[in-house]
Amino acid sequence: MAARLKSQEEYATLIDKYDTFLFDCDGVLWNGDAVVDGVIDVLRMLREKNKSVIFVTNNASKSRVDYKGKFDKMGVQATEEEIFGSAYASAVYISTVLRLPPTSKVYVIGMPGLEHELDTEGIAHIGGSDPADNTLEPFKLSTFVKDEKVSVVLCGLDLHINYTKYCKAFQYLRAGATFLATNVDSTYPVDGGLLPGSGALTYVLAKAMGVEPLSIGKPGKTMMDCIKAKHSFDPARTLMVGDRLDTDILFGKNGGVSTLLVMTGVTTEAVLESTTIVPDYVIDSLGDLRVLI
Ligand SMILES: O=C(O)[C@H](O)[C@H](O)COP(=O)(O)O
Ligand SMILES: [Mg+2]
């Protein structure tokens, strides 16, 4: 049974128990561009207590550099090395696990942030923000010329998704391309509510192909491997803070760290009541810890 923390004393005991804090972003720090009340002060407090702070997001629409810019704008202290996104993890997976031949290419459904992370790993890619793919013109299969170098289809959150992108990705998958997803979150929490998430977008191809993609993001192992490659931490004194049970909390459990669920994102009280993925702790909002300042 999760411990529901409410008192200042319980918050203080929690903070003292851990040295490293892994923070999910969407639904924990912010919803879209709306920062959760009190979060900036809490992150500052943790830094002042010499806690390690690492950000771990499944949102593949931004690169680490993009997120660094978002943190800077918010006035939150963060270095690029403390930021891990599923775009970065997917690029690392392709370069270190798939180890594509140098001439191979990736067909991308996703935003420039994902393309940028592929660039940093030296992975050739097409699709994505290419104007030829960002069209509402009807797709004509009879005139479509496949790029024979494409051996991977990588699908991530794409706020400009369209039928042409799905048709091209589908042709590459039918030709045998490896099917990867940056993450399979069902919904995307933004200011005012929920939007279809990356998992919902990827489902269109999974349904058409009759196969599931390999998902790289939380709760998968690759994200934790990427973090461990850059940071050493004691799992016994590490806390994963997230808003989604089947990604963040499961990611923490898979990684052998403690887990704290916040109720400012996608998880409702009703879902929490019936879940089989039980966090160690639950608080209403990360911002509630500001009473410790
Ligand atoms: O990809 C998605 O559907 C969303 O970006 C999702 O919200 C993941 O963001 P996170 O909560 O992991 O920061
Ligand atoms: Mg989240």
Side-chain angles (χ1 to χ4, degrees):
M1 181 68 184
R4 190 81 185 231
L5 308 183
K6 287 193 176 300
S7 72
Q8 186 164 340
E9 192 192 343
E10 288 169 329
Y11 296 161
T13 304
L14 179 80
I15 298 298
D16 292 345
K17 204 170 168 186
Y18 300 100
D19 303 324
T20 303
F21 291 75
L22 307 177
F23 285 111
D24 170 46
C25 297
D26 289 343
V28 174
L29 306 183
W30 53 62
N31 285 290
D33 288 330
V35 181
V36 172
D37 197 21
V39 156
I40 293 177
D41 295 334
V42 170
L43 292 174
R44 191 178 302 120
M45 170 193 66
L46 292 172
R47 296 276 193 195
E48 286 163 0
K49 290 177 178 285
N50 294 317
K51 303 293 185 181
S52 297
V53 173
I54 295 171
F55 302 100
V56 197
T57 177
N58 266 3
N59 188 322
S61 65
K62 290 185 178 65
S63 65
R64 289 162 294 161
V65 170
D66 295 334
Y67 273 113
K68 167 73 176 141
K70 182 164 186 173
F71 281 120
D72 288 350
K73 238 166 62 182
M74 282 167 54
V76 171
Q77 180 197 338
T79 65
E80 214 179 293
E81 286 64 43
E82 293 170 332
I83 301 168
F84 294 84
S86 64
Y88 172 61
S90 297
V92 168
Y93 179 83
I94 292 170
S95 65
T96 60
V97 178
L98 289 188
R99 302 171 68 81
L100 299 178
T103 55
S104 245
K105 293 179 185 176
V106 174
Y107 182 79
V108 173
I109 289 183
M111 311 285 284
L114 178 52
E115 295 172 301
H116 180 82
E117 295 291 13
L118 292 172
D119 293 340
T120 57
E121 290 292 317
I123 298 164
H125 53 87
I126 61 171
S129 57
D130 183 334
D133 295 68
N134 288 273
T135 173
L136 294 179
E137 287 303 310
F139 178 76
K140 281 184 76 172
L141 182 55
S142 56
T143 57
F144 173 57
V145 179
K146 276 206 310 288
D147 183 329
E148 296 305 329
K149 302 286 187 209
V150 170
S151 62
V152 175
V153 166
L154 176 60
C155 188
L157 186 62
D158 185 340
L159 306 182
H160 305 296
I161 190 66
N162 63 49
Y163 192 59
T164 289
K165 294 179 179 181
Y166 278 134
C167 291
K168 290 189 177 181
F170 184 57
Q171 299 315 311
Y172 288 119
L173 291 171
R174 282 169 58 81
T178 300
F179 188 12
L180 296 183
T182 57
N183 61 303
V184 285
D185 294 60
S186 55
T187 55
Y188 172 29
V190 295
D191 188 13
L194 297 178
L195 298 177
S198 185
L201 274 56
T202 307
Y203 180 75
V204 169
L205 291 171
K207 180 71 175 173
M209 285 296 298
V211 295
E212 295 297 318
L214 172 65
S215 177
I216 305 299
K218 298 171 289 183
K221 190 173 165 301
T222 306
M223 290 281 261
M224 190 58 87
D225 291 346
C226 288
I227 296 168
K228 286 179 176 171
K230 288 194 172 182
H231 300 273
S232 59
F233 57 85
D234 176 358
R237 291 192 57 85
T238 300
L239 184 67
M240 172 69 200
V241 184
D243 70 302
R244 187 182 288 275
L245 292 161
D246 64 353
T247 54
D248 305 318
I249 304 306
L250 195 51
F251 174 74
K253 288 175 176 294
N254 291 347
V257 304
S258 298
T259 56
L260 168 65
L261 178 76
V262 298
M263 304 304 284
T264 46
V266 301
T267 302
T268 63
E269 296 291 349
V271 167
L272 179 57
E273 277 296 305
S274 60
T275 183
T276 56
I277 303 171
V278 180
D280 294 299
Y281 312 99
V282 181
I283 58 173
D284 292 343
S285 168
L286 176 63
D288 292 350
L289 299 183
R290 66 184 154 196
V291 294
L292 299 176
I293 297 170

